[in-house]
Amino acid sequence: MDLSRARELLKNQIEYEVTFDGVKIVIVDLYELTKMARVCERNNVDKNQVVPLAQLIEENTIR
């Protein structure tokens, strides 16, 4: 995923399905200078981590 698409998903608060290593996640925050994102599992918001944007895969956007 590129930075502009991640920024759009985070800013517009639209429903989306993004995965990281096959796990559905939610983007919590972006670190634009390093092109990283803080994400949490969709089913477990307490478990979060910082991952490279390039490893996020957008599966589906629900409008």
Side-chain angles (χ1 to χ4, degrees):
M1 176 177 296
D2 65 9
L3 180 60
S4 63
R5 182 62 179 149
R7 190 182 305 125
E8 182 181 337
L9 290 175
L10 185 63
K11 184 174 105 174
N12 292 332
Q13 299 295 316
I14 58 176
E15 278 289 315
Y16 59 87
E17 289 183 12
V18 174
T19 60
F20 172 71
D21 280 347
V23 177
K24 291 182 181 179
I25 56 95
V26 175
I27 300 171
V28 177
D29 199 7
L30 293 175
Y31 304 106
E32 296 184 15
L33 292 176
T34 56
K35 296 184 180 170
M36 304 284 273
R38 178 171 299 281
V39 300
C40 66
E41 290 182 16
R42 188 172 288 277
N43 298 329
N44 186 2
V45 294
D46 292 329
K47 185 176 181 183
N48 62 60
Q49 58 186 331
V50 177
V51 299
L53 283 173
Q55 293 183 8
L56 300 182
I57 299 170
E58 184 174 6
E59 302 286 341
N60 191 16
T61 302
I62 306 158
R63 301 231 178 226

